[in-house]
Amino acid sequence: ILAKLDRPPSGPNWARFVHPDVNKTAKSILHFVKGVPPVTYRTGYTVIRDRIQFGIDLETAINSIRRSSAPKSRLPNEEFVKAFFEHDERRRYHGHRSIEFDKESFRISRDIVVPVAPLSVIHENGSFVPLFICGWSSLNLSLFQRRLLVTITEDAFLSLTDFQHSPAEFLFF
């Protein structure tokens, strides 16, 4: 339990636990510490990154999910990836060169940091465009939580010299 407290989840997931009310924040963090998520989108994120970087097709992506995901996570990951591919058909992320980057952190105490990193960064029209992508079953961030998410992302990642003028994109599927 203490290890989970010392290693918070990534920025978007961490922002879901923080509320203006301290008691509600404590309950959210306690629920996180005691719980085990029924679904993980790790495979979906990997497949989406492969789509952006290598241009894999939907059939390859779905086959990868069926081979690599935990049984309970397969259908949610398939839906997540299909939603991204549908969006990508219009937006065309996969046609751009992607770049390597380091994961950054937002410090919440001397010893505890929240990891903040986009799924991918593409180079488009002379700018770096960080893509922050979340696969959630529901998007129920309050205005406070949305502001917090953008603030920690700005502080930890978008304040870096290469990304200060970047038109970052946040995608929720």
Side-chain angles (χ1 to χ4, degrees):
I1 289 177
L2 291 177
K4 280 181 110 173
L5 286 175
D6 289 343
R7 297 192 65 222
S10 66
N13 287 321
W14 179 78
R16 290 169 59 162
F17 304 143
V18 181
H19 305 275
D21 176 38
V22 175
N23 291 330
K24 192 170 181 182
T25 298
K27 285 180 184 178
S28 291
I29 291 172
L30 184 62
H31 181 72
F32 160 70
V33 169
K34 287 184 162 184
V36 175
V39 172
T40 176
Y41 289 100
R42 185 170 302 184
T43 306
Y45 290 129
T46 300
V47 167
I48 289 172
R49 186 179 310 113
D50 288 349
R51 167 65 171 185
I52 294 167
Q53 292 179 347
F54 307 119
I56 67 169
D57 62 12
L58 181 59
E59 182 181 345
T60 303
I62 297 300
N63 287 336
S64 180
I65 287 169
R66 290 179 180 160
R67 284 191 318 271
S68 303
S69 287
K72 286 185 179 181
S73 297
R74 284 186 187 133
L75 182 59
N77 272 280
E78 283 185 32
E79 292 172 350
F80 173 44
V81 167
K82 285 177 183 176
F84 175 80
F85 268 73
E86 184 178 311
H87 179 71
D88 188 41
E89 285 301 316
R90 292 186 304 278
R91 177 61 177 82
R92 298 272 183 219
Y93 296 112
H94 68 277
H96 299 284
R97 188 172 49 106
S98 60
I99 64 162
E100 294 294 320
F101 57 90
D102 292 326
K103 186 181 287 188
E104 298 298 328
S105 301
F106 178 75
R107 188 165 297 283
I108 57 176
S109 77
R110 186 178 344 164
D111 299 325
I112 301 174
V113 295
V114 174
V116 177
L119 182 67
S120 185
V121 176
I122 62 170
H123 189 257
E124 179 180 58
N125 298 326
S127 296
F128 295 123
V129 181
L131 305 174
F132 296 90
I133 301 173
C134 297
W136 291 343
S137 59
S138 65
L139 178 58
N140 55 357
L141 294 177
S142 67
L143 179 59
F144 174 85
Q145 291 167 323
R146 289 184 296 217
R147 287 179 173 168
L148 176 62
L149 176 57
V150 171
T151 298
I152 67 173
T153 303
E154 176 74 33
D155 182 79
F157 196 85
L158 298 176
S159 63
L160 299 172
T161 303
D162 289 339
F163 302 107
Q164 285 181 351
H165 301 290
S166 295
E169 295 184 25
F170 289 84
L171 304 171
F172 297 87
F173 297 101

